[in-house]
Amino acid sequence: MLPLMETIAVENGQLQNVAYHQQRYQQALHEYYADTDVQVFDLSAIIVPPEFQHGVVRCRVDYNAMQQQVRFFPYQRRTIRRFQPVICDTIDYHLKYSDRTLLDQLYAQRGNCDEILIIKHGKLTDCSIGNLVLLQNGVWYTPDTPLLAGTQRAKLLVENKIQLRSITIDTLADYDEVRVINALNPLV
């Protein structure tokens, strides 16, 4: 069983933001397997097969305390125009779990929208595939209550391209735009 995972963007054969992924991977590994010896894998050692050396590719690493499974998939960015708020006060996705059953159930509630906005205890968290950034008066904000501390989000915070903010369901209409960010979807 490989209960945890990382998703890494590969652009023209090069792994992207590997240091951020390595940090999150190691933190998750040590938290999930707190009382167990773990074998830490160097994600930068991943070799991208020749057939995935061009364009944008998704690299998925499923892992447990001693094993890793690395797979590559072609990537096609989704167009997201409409969001459906969905309330779930019990969700816990602070580690990137391989089991996405609850996220998939929430996503199924999107109706005729493209994606969901997950609301927990009245606050905006994430969507089903990544973190969120919201534009207001020329400044991009990200919720200070994410379900998962994403690697793209971490990078953008360090670069001061986005700001943390408490965002409630009642204030969503105050923003001009909502975008999804994740390893494969930078803020552009």
Side-chain angles (χ1 to χ4, degrees), residues 50-117:
E51 63 270 27
F52 293 106
Q53 294 271 336
H54 303 286
V56 178
V57 173
R58 181 169 63 101
C59 172
R60 178 174 168 149
V61 181
D62 292 274
Y63 62 95
N64 62 23
M66 299 304 227
Q67 300 172 298
Q68 307 79 32
Q69 177 186 47
V70 179
R71 295 177 289 167
F72 296 89
F73 304 93
Y75 181 70
Q76 181 66 44
R77 182 180 280 200
R78 286 178 31 200
T79 300
I80 300 173
R81 292 191 180 97
R82 295 179 50 200
F83 292 89
Q84 174 65 47
V86 175
I87 296 171
C88 184
D89 291 337
T90 59
I91 190 168
D92 176 8
Y93 197 73
H94 76 284
L95 300 178
K96 192 163 178 150
Y97 299 107
S98 299
D99 181 359
R100 293 179 43 88
T101 302
L102 180 54
L103 289 171
D104 292 341
Q105 290 170 351
L106 295 174
Y107 181 71
Q109 298 176 39
R110 73 189 178 285
N112 62 354
C113 292
D114 304 305
E115 184 53 75
I116 58 173
L117 300 175

Side-chain angles (χ1 to χ4, degrees), residues 56-185:
V56 178
V57 173
R58 181 169 63 101
C59 172
R60 178 174 168 149
V61 181
D62 292 274
Y63 62 95
N64 62 23
M66 299 304 227
Q67 300 172 298
Q68 307 79 32
Q69 177 186 47
V70 179
R71 295 177 289 167
F72 296 89
F73 304 93
Y75 181 70
Q76 181 66 44
R77 182 180 280 200
R78 286 178 31 200
T79 300
I80 300 173
R81 292 191 180 97
R82 295 179 50 200
F83 292 89
Q84 174 65 47
V86 175
I87 296 171
C88 184
D89 291 337
T90 59
I91 190 168
D92 176 8
Y93 197 73
H94 76 284
L95 300 178
K96 192 163 178 150
Y97 299 107
S98 299
D99 181 359
R100 293 179 43 88
T101 302
L102 180 54
L103 289 171
D104 292 341
Q105 290 170 351
L106 295 174
Y107 181 71
Q109 298 176 39
R110 73 189 178 285
N112 62 354
C113 292
D114 304 305
E115 184 53 75
I116 58 173
L117 300 175
I118 302 170
I119 310 297
K120 183 174 181 178
H121 302 300
K123 292 189 171 189
L124 182 63
T125 62
D126 290 331
C127 69
S128 73
I129 60 166
N131 298 125
L132 299 165
V133 290
L134 295 85
L135 184 65
Q136 185 182 64
N137 299 323
V139 179
W140 288 101
Y141 296 97
T142 191
D144 61 1
T145 52
L147 297 177
L148 179 70
T151 57
Q152 188 68 243
R153 179 180 179 272
K155 179 178 182 262
L156 293 169
L157 284 166
V158 166
E159 294 172 347
N160 291 315
K161 293 184 178 175
I162 61 175
Q163 307 290 319
L164 288 175
R165 180 181 270 183
S166 177
I167 302 172
T168 64
I169 190 170
D170 301 330
T171 62
L172 287 176
D174 297 341
Y175 294 89
D176 305 316
E177 186 178 346
V178 178
R179 288 192 192 168
V180 175
I181 56 170
N182 61 31
L184 290 145
N185 292 285

